[in-house]
Amino acid sequence: MKRKILHIACMLALLQLFLIPGFLAAQQPHELMSIQEAEAKSARRKFELQSRGGLKTLASANFDIHHLRCEWKIDPAVQFINGVVTVDFIISSTTDNIVLDLIDQLGVDSVLYHGSKINFSRPGNQTVQIKFPASIPVANKDSVSIFYQGVPAAGNGFGSYVSGMHAGVPVCWTLSEPYGSRDWWPCKNGLDDKTDSLDVFITTPDQYTGVSIGMLQGTLLNAGEKTTHWKHRYPVASYLIAIAATNYSTLSDTIQLGQKILPMIQNVYPESLSSFRTSIRFTRRTLRLFHDSFGDYPFINEKYGHTQFSWGGGMENQSNSFMTNASEALLVHEAAHQWFGDKITCGSWQDIWLNEGFAGFLTNYSTEKFYPASIYKTILREQLATIVSHADGSVFVTDTTNVDRIFDGRLTYTKGTWILHMLRWKMGDAAFFQGMRNYLKDQKFAYGYAFTKDFMGHMEQSSGLSLPEFFNDWFYGEGYPSYNLDWTNLGDGWVHADLSQTTSHSSVGFFEMPVAIRFKNATRDTMVIIDHKNNHQRSYLNFGFAPDSAFIDPDLRLISAKNTVKKFPDDPDKTTAIIIYPNPVVTDLNILLKHFKEGKYSMTLLSNSGQLLWAGNAISVSGFQMMKIPL
């Protein structure tokens, strides 16, 4: 980061102090500040963002999906799917073919176009290549249906399509994040196209109920089979489309959000009815908090719901989170994703923190609002210990071929959470929350995709701050700082503090952050904030009392570890002195007049060439006096 820097040569000829009336009383400064250049940030390896948002997709970019009609016939007791996916699309460049992602082990029986079968091919690269009878002009709307069947894969994501049991009853469910959609249906498997709307028809044996996202439109019983129709009229990414089926029991409720009464529908295992019924109060207060803090619930014209499945966590399928249980932390996390992850989806798996870090932050925010401060602080302390348990690691995902790296708990989730925690501290609540709301409302990203730079732009706009330094350090960079505070009492309630840091990883030479320090004695305490921009940054502070101890970041605002505080003996030097800092100076020059006898003084500040930079006349001084001179 470039700054305009003025180096101050601390010489008697530069600073002149005159006593009124009469004789020269200039005093050589007590201590000369060593001239420090801003530390250059270490070069960091940045992977070029893939324009299509990730790997494992070969779907063509010459069409945009407008609507999907998905008809799936499944039996929870059998790992098999029979489906018809009709894709309504708009051609973005004139073509006679399109390509969809679909694993090779799922067989395509036919492709229907305008009522007739057309040619397609399976080249062995997990795709379906569809050949139209003639070229389709740009901007034309059209439609094609893919008939397919087979044994879906169990694991390109965290499960993709799974058949299992609960309480002795068969259950099947899907979980497509990040690359699993193509494991069970023909789709665009990347992060570059959301279908505008969706209709899902699930046919199962009649003892089961098929569940998907959106609103239930109806149920049809026919010859021992049950078909449920689900309708969703919001843009949705392929990995957020999901189905499940078993002997679900349904809990129906509502919540008022503003002027809207929102249905809350939960499809749960019969043996879990009690716990999910009890948890409704947590879901209600969570949705109200996020609705009021971050803007309207994103799918407010439909519903919010839960569907139970047998995975080890939760999945934020749009408008209908899939849940392993009804624990409050899981409920809050998945609800948070409806804003961050579903309404705005990361445009690359390298930026997955825009989903998971944000959900983590909102979970912390809920704890902060609804639980004692001691519990919130305990959670922060545990999260911090996790982050600093290793000296390296970037929140920016450098290997999107590794699902475990994409969803790394320490980096993507916990450190991602703390990027927002620290940004809130740096920006202040008003600017931070306004920036979050503005980001969610931005029509370029709402119900679409965004990257970290897009979010950063909104936070800069709401705060007036330049934030590339922050994101280079904390998002792209690795590690954390260890702060060292040396301090001493100067007398008359004044303290001299010297703050420095070392970094745990060479990718970041220096972390620029506001650092809170608490000074106290047996009867009084105070908090000061040092905007830490360089090592051995000196501050002269007036508390009006003599502290006996100091604590770095007592409220856990920063990622840091192994911090040290050293108190030096009280300064016995009572001689008159002039202390000038910082050096180099960026904006404001501080001049501390120390142990001056009561009187009026005049001061002039000259450049090395003799140019008058500043003059102060008839300044009353007694003891200590701090002067701030804007340059």
Side-chain angles (χ1 to χ4, degrees):
M1 182 171 65
K2 295 182 178 178
R3 297 194 204 92
K4 184 178 180 181
I5 296 177
L6 172 66
H7 292 283
I8 303 299
C10 295
M11 301 165 55
L12 184 60
L14 176 66
L15 184 65
Q16 296 179 322
L17 188 65
F18 293 94
L19 182 64
I20 301 176
F23 63 93
L24 182 67
Q27 175 71 38
Q28 188 75 4
H30 173 69
E31 233 177 306
L32 299 181
M33 294 288 290
S34 61
I35 298 175
Q36 307 236 352
E37 296 291 346
E39 290 187 77
K41 299 298 174 182
S42 301
R44 24 177 87 58
R45 186 171 55 124
K46 296 182 181 177
F47 282 58
E48 182 180 358
L49 295 176
Q50 297 190 7
S51 62
R52 304 286 315 284
L55 305 175
K56 299 191 178 179
T57 177
L58 292 174
S60 56
N62 56 1
F63 70 106
D64 297 318
I65 298 176
H66 173 64
H67 175 262
L68 289 171
R69 177 186 172 95
C70 302
E71 302 167 69
W72 287 306
K73 186 173 182 178
I74 57 176
D75 183 340
V78 181
Q79 183 82 358
F80 193 87
I81 191 167
N82 191 311
V84 182
V85 173
T86 299
V87 183
D88 296 338
F89 56 86
I90 301 173
I91 290 295
S92 54
S93 60
T94 300
T95 186
D96 65 355
N97 70 89
I98 61 171
V99 178
L100 291 166
D101 296 303
L102 183 69
I103 60 169
D104 293 333
Q105 72 187 63
L106 290 174
V108 176
D109 299 323
S110 60
V111 175
L112 204 63
Y113 177 67
H114 295 183
S116 301
K117 293 182 178 181
I118 60 171
N119 292 331
F120 67 91
S121 63
R122 303 300 306 277
N125 61 351
Q126 321 296 334
T127 66
V128 183
Q129 299 190 1
I130 298 169
K131 177 75 170 176
F132 298 113
S135 289
I136 305 174
V138 65
N140 266 33
K141 293 182 179 180
D142 219 321
S143 179
V144 67
S145 297
I146 301 97
F147 293 74
Y148 73 104
Q149 60 180 312
V151 179
N156 222 346
F158 288 112
S160 296
Y161 186 105
V162 176
S163 298
M165 303 285 285
H166 74 90
V169 179
V171 59
C172 67
W173 46 268
T174 65
L175 197 167
S176 297
E177 189 178 30
Y179 302 122
S181 298
R182 70 176 186 178
D183 291 347
W184 61 281
W185 64 285
C187 62
K188 281 189 168 182
N189 207 47
L191 295 174
D192 62 338
D193 191 4
K194 291 187 176 185
T195 182
D196 299 331
S197 60
L198 175 74
D199 283 273
V200 172
F201 299 83
I202 306 171
T203 299
T204 64
D206 61 9
Q207 68 267 39
Y208 307 119
T209 298
V211 176
S212 190
I213 66 174
M215 298 293 287
L216 179 63
Q217 301 300 296
T219 300
L220 175 65
L221 294 173
N222 181 39
E225 293 183 333
K226 180 192 292 183
T227 299
T228 54
H229 173 201
W230 298 84
K231 172 181 171 182
H232 190 50
R233 291 299 180 261
Y234 288 91
V236 56
S238 62
Y239 80 89
L240 293 169
I241 297 171
I243 59 173
T246 192
N247 63 330
Y248 283 119
S249 295
T250 301
L251 292 168
S252 298
D253 218 304
T254 61
I255 179 176
Q256 184 154 352
L257 298 175
Q259 301 301 311
K260 190 78 173 181
I261 297 178
L262 182 75
M264 293 196 307
I265 311 297
Q266 301 188 93
N267 289 285
V268 304
Y269 300 159
E271 64 270 23
S272 302
L273 269 171
S274 177
S275 62
F276 275 89
R277 184 180 288 113
T278 301
S279 73
I280 288 172
R281 70 183 191 274
F282 296 128
T283 304
R284 274 205 188 96
R285 78 177 187 184
T286 297
L287 290 177
R288 287 194 185 104
L289 174 64
F290 296 164
H291 177 90
D292 293 342
S293 299
F294 302 102
D296 289 353
Y297 168 66
F299 313 108
I300 199 162
N301 292 323
E302 293 190 0
K303 75 164 197 309
Y304 183 60
H306 297 132
T307 291
Q308 194 170 9
F309 72 155
S310 299
W311 190 59
M315 179 62 207
E316 62 273 14
N317 299 316
Q318 195 157 297
S319 79
N320 184 12
S321 295
F322 281 21
M323 311 285 291
T324 188
N325 58 46
S327 71
E328 183 182 357
L330 188 59
L331 292 169
V332 175
H333 183 96
E334 303 309 331
H337 272 310
Q338 302 302 309
W339 281 262
F340 297 100
D342 292 6
K343 181 179 182 180
I344 297 185
T345 305
C346 62
S348 165
W349 296 114
Q350 294 178 314
D351 291 277
I352 183 60
W353 85 286
L354 293 174
N355 296 15
E356 300 301 344
F358 282 54
F361 174 81
L362 266 65
T363 304
N364 280 2
Y365 180 62
S366 176
T367 303
E368 178 188 0
K369 290 295 183 181
F370 297 127
Y371 288 92
S374 59
I375 292 177
Y376 177 54
K377 198 164 186 177
T378 296
I379 290 172
L380 292 179
R381 191 175 289 111
E382 291 172 351
Q383 291 174 345
L384 180 58
T386 296
I387 296 168
V388 301
S389 62
H390 293 80
D392 60 355
S394 169
V395 177
F396 177 74
V397 177
T398 55
D399 181 7
T400 58
T401 65
N402 185 338
V403 171
D404 290 334
R405 174 60 190 90
I406 294 173
F407 297 97
D408 186 285
R410 181 175 73 92
L411 299 173
T412 296
Y413 287 75
T414 310
K415 192 173 181 182
T417 294
W418 272 64
I419 287 180
L420 293 170
H421 181 68
M422 293 189 297
L423 192 58
R424 178 184 179 184
W425 163 244
K426 184 178 178 70
M427 294 173 60
D429 273 14
F432 176 82
F433 286 103
Q434 189 60 56
M436 295 278 274
R437 288 188 291 269
N438 292 347
Y439 168 67
L440 284 164
K441 289 190 297 185
D442 191 327
Q443 294 304 304
K444 294 191 297 293
F445 314 122
Y447 302 101
Y449 299 98
F451 297 89
T452 297
K453 63 180 176 59
D454 303 318
F455 172 69
M456 183 183 75
H458 273 291
M459 303 313 272
E460 287 186 320
Q461 187 175 30
S462 68
S463 67
L465 299 174
S466 175
L467 294 175
E469 175 88 17
F470 176 89
F471 282 93
N472 282 338
D473 288 349
W474 295 109
F475 175 63
Y476 293 108
E478 303 183 42
Y480 56 85
S482 296
Y483 292 105
N484 177 68
L485 176 68
D486 294 337
W487 69 281
T488 188
N489 285 308
L490 299 177
D492 292 350
W494 283 81
V495 165
H496 170 220
D498 183 305
L499 185 63
S500 60
Q501 67 173 255
T502 57
T503 61
S504 68
H505 192 272
S506 60
S507 62
V508 181
F510 190 91
F511 290 92
E512 293 190 10
M513 285 296 292
V515 180
I517 301 174
R518 182 186 178 206
F519 289 89
K520 67 177 290 292
N521 62 20
T523 59
R524 299 180 64 179
D525 69 76
T526 191
M527 192 87 74
V528 296
I529 299 172
I530 296 175
D531 192 11
H532 201 209
K533 294 187 178 297
N534 49 69
N535 266 325
H536 296 292
Q537 184 170 323
R538 301 189 177 193
S539 301
Y540 293 85
L541 311 165
N542 182 14
F543 299 144
F545 69 94
D548 58 24
S549 53
F551 306 88
I552 297 171
D553 190 30
D555 294 327
L556 303 179
R557 306 285 191 177
L558 307 174
I559 296 175
S560 67
K562 305 173 186 175
N563 299 326
T564 62
V565 177
K566 184 176 182 181
K567 182 181 183 298
F568 287 88
D570 293 353
D571 186 357
D573 187 358
K574 303 299 181 182
T575 58
T576 300
I578 302 171
I579 299 172
I580 304 171
Y581 73 98
N583 195 0
V585 61
V586 179
T587 54
D588 294 329
L589 176 68
N590 298 302
I591 300 176
L592 176 64
L593 307 180
K594 178 183 174 187
H595 296 304
F596 268 66
K597 294 180 180 180
E598 183 175 0
K600 290 188 175 182
Y601 300 80
S602 290
M603 182 178 296
T604 58
L605 181 64
L606 307 175
S607 69
N608 282 325
S609 62
Q611 178 186 5
L612 177 66
L613 299 177
W614 177 86
N617 296 311
I619 302 167
S620 295
V621 179
S622 177
F624 284 76
Q625 179 86 17
M626 177 68 75
M627 305 177 63
K628 188 179 292 289
I629 302 173
L631 296 175

